[in-house]
Amino acid sequence: MERARHTGTVGYAAMFEQFHPTELLEYCKQAEEAGFGSVMASDHFHPWTPDQGQSAFVWSWLGALGAQTNLRFGTGVTPPGFRYHPAIIAQGAATLEAMYPGRFWLGLGAGEALNEHVVGSYWPEAPTRLRILMESIEVIQKLFSGKVVKYAGDHITLESAKLYTMPDTPPPVYVATAGPLMSKRTGRMCDGIITVGAAEEKIKGLMQKFEEGAREQDKDPETMPRMIQLHLSYADSQQEAEEQAVKEWPNGGMAFPKGDIRNPEDFAAMANLVSAENFKNRVLMSADLDEHLDHLQHYVDLGFDEIYVHNVGKNQEQFIRDFGERVIPKLNWPDRT
């Protein structure tokens, strides 16, 4: 089956750290009706802080999402090699794509101690985590061939495994990255890239490396999806937007690497030091829908064709409705025909 390239999509970020999975299903159905075209679902074992209060198993939920909507959907993101052996991820991804052809995409990342330390293994340094990720991608892609696979890497091993339930076409593999080295590897090894909002020069550098990696494998980077997740705080007033960012998503105001911090309680302690000023250039806090429109348009203009929006507040229904009416229809997407 030929998989069409989807461009010009505003997606809904389903944040399992903040909401009960049943609530998130309802929000996703509302998002589909409002004009959102896809869902990026977070894959956590713990919330960032205890007050966020949730952390359901996303893979149980994805099948229900596929059955109850017509949206495209994927994980944002799943880390292989710790909680999950990559063979199990490949099996889950192949199953969802077999059930919902052309709708599932697999988002992978290097992971964070917050979620991955629970298995009790040594938590490696960042370069090792990237090597584990790359080996895992190789295993997943080999299993997507439908053949019997054996693999012996430095970190990942697989003994005589084969996926028997397979879709007509394997789901695409996208990788989340914020560094130039992994961006280039992503272009070389995978089908598309996921990143988060950042300064324009950094974004351009990441995309340049992504394109270089794609061309090394004779792939056309212009045909490869570029996804970005944007965190924002939308409310009825500027004060409310700032207050809910600090209360509901304090981790968004922490401008330091968070991959080695193990417990929600540790993030809660650091949250006491977070104020609205810490969110500048990290989370757009505004009651002005035109300001949010300009924010999204900026990333459209930088070449992203799928923008996943996370409103950090509890006011999801208001956010979905207002963005559906006054933001999504006004975005100016480039003509890629």
Side-chain angles (χ1 to χ4, degrees):
M1 176 183 133
E2 186 73 18
R3 178 184 286 267
R5 178 162 185 245
H6 298 266
T7 61
T9 298
V10 175
Y12 177 72
M15 305 307 282
F16 276 71
E17 308 94 303
Q18 291 182 284
F19 300 103
H20 190 280
T22 304
E23 282 184 288
L24 284 173
L25 273 181
E26 290 303 314
Y27 294 148
C28 288
K29 288 189 279 189
Q30 293 172 23
E32 182 176 27
E33 293 175 1
F36 290 77
S38 187
V39 170
M40 177 182 285
S42 61
D43 186 348
H44 272 239
F45 191 89
H46 288 137
W48 295 100
T49 67
D51 286 348
Q52 287 174 346
Q54 297 289 336
S55 207
F57 186 54
V58 68
W59 288 88
S60 300
W61 180 88
L62 289 169
L65 178 69
Q68 295 191 31
T69 74
N70 292 306
L71 293 163
R72 293 170 54 248
F73 57 95
T75 50
V77 289
T78 289
F82 302 100
R83 280 182 295 148
Y84 311 106
H85 190 282
I88 302 305
I89 296 174
Q91 184 186 31
T95 298
L96 286 167
E97 180 64 12
M99 294 176 69
Y100 308 112
R103 292 173 56 194
F104 179 73
W105 47 268
L106 176 60
L108 300 175
E112 293 142 340
L114 175 69
N115 304 300
E116 309 311 316
H117 85 280
V118 299
V119 297
S121 299
Y122 172 73
W123 180 244
E125 298 299 315
T128 302
R129 300 200 295 264
L130 292 179
R131 288 192 287 270
I132 292 170
L133 174 59
M134 288 185 289
E135 288 188 14
S136 298
I137 292 168
E138 286 187 53
V139 169
I140 290 167
Q141 291 176 330
K142 286 177 182 293
L143 285 167
F144 282 170
S145 71
K147 299 176 182 178
V148 175
V149 177
K150 297 180 181 180
Y151 187 90
D154 293 332
H155 306 281
I156 302 295
T157 57
L158 183 72
E159 182 180 339
S160 190
K162 175 181 176 178
L163 297 180
Y164 281 85
T165 298
M166 284 288 294
D168 292 337
T169 302
V173 177
Y174 306 142
V175 172
T177 179
L181 181 61
M182 197 61 206
S183 278
K184 189 170 184 177
R185 291 169 176 165
T186 297
R188 192 167 61 240
M189 298 175 67
C190 302
D191 302 299
I193 189 169
I194 305 171
T195 192
V196 295
E200 183 171 334
E201 287 308 308
K202 181 177 181 179
I203 292 287
K204 288 181 176 178
L206 292 177
M207 294 305 109
Q208 181 181 352
K209 291 297 182 182
F210 172 68
E211 293 169 6
E212 288 176 10
R215 292 192 181 99
E216 284 182 4
Q217 294 298 311
D218 296 322
K219 296 189 285 187
D220 180 2
E222 294 303 316
T223 67
M224 300 169 70
R226 304 172 194 220
M227 300 178 168
I228 191 165
Q229 186 184 76
L230 299 179
H231 303 283
L232 55 85
S233 184
Y234 170 63
D236 288 328
S237 69
Q238 183 65 32
Q239 180 177 345
E240 288 178 272
E242 293 177 3
E243 288 175 351
Q244 75 178 8
V246 173
K247 178 182 178 183
E248 307 291 352
W249 199 249
N251 45 294
M254 299 176 187
F256 50 81
K258 296 181 275 291
D260 295 323
I261 301 169
R262 281 170 159 69
N263 297 305
E265 291 78 12
D266 294 330
F267 280 103
M270 290 180 281
N272 292 324
L273 305 176
V274 172
S275 65
E277 289 73 25
N278 298 123
F279 290 84
K280 186 177 181 181
N281 298 324
R282 299 179 60 82
V283 176
L284 174 60
M285 302 174 292
S286 177
D288 186 345
L289 285 168
D290 288 334
E291 192 172 355
H292 288 291
L293 173 61
D294 290 343
H295 186 55
L296 269 63
Q297 185 66 54
H298 173 68
Y299 289 99
V300 171
D301 296 341
L302 285 176
F304 289 95
D305 42 39
E306 298 195 27
I307 298 176
Y308 290 84
V309 186
H310 167 219
N311 177 43
V312 302
K314 298 290 190 184
N315 57 332
Q316 294 296 295
E317 293 184 353
Q318 177 191 13
F319 154 68
I320 290 166
R321 181 187 66 245
D322 291 356
F323 270 60
E325 292 175 356
R326 296 177 54 190
V327 175
I328 294 174
K330 295 183 179 181
L331 285 169
N332 181 24
W333 300 94
D335 184 3
R336 300 186 187 274
T337 58

